[in-house]
Amino acid sequence: NAEETEEDIDIIAEQTRRADDHKDRGNEHMSKKEYELALHQYNEAVHVSPAGPNSHVYYSNRAAAHCYLARYESASDDCRTS
């Protein structure tokens, strides 16, 4: 059904936009060395869009935040998922 497909595309686009907003906020926190706050935003991005077109970026960024917090096993898990 073409109508459902368009609706699905719209939903994915909205999820991606929301997740990218969280990623951008996380990036701002990373630049200020606010790693826990960054991690929270990247968690939200992954939650909103766990398998979307940009999810690999959310997992990679979250892995970097985990590294700064010396949570290396979590960072490694996110790298594999990415």
Side-chain angles (χ1 to χ4, degrees), residues 16-65:
T16 300
R17 186 197 62 74
R18 287 178 41 223
D20 281 347
D21 287 345
H22 286 293
K23 176 201 50 106
D24 292 343
R25 283 185 233 135
N27 290 350
E28 289 174 22
H29 288 301
M30 287 288 278
S31 69
K32 297 175 188 174
K33 299 182 180 184
E34 299 169 340
Y35 304 122
E36 286 287 350
L37 295 173
L39 184 63
H40 174 73
Q41 292 298 323
Y42 298 140
N43 284 338
E44 289 298 314
V46 167
H47 176 74
V48 170
S49 182
N54 297 337
S55 64
H56 63 287
V57 176
Y58 315 143
Y59 285 105
S60 296
N61 288 9
R62 190 169 74 174

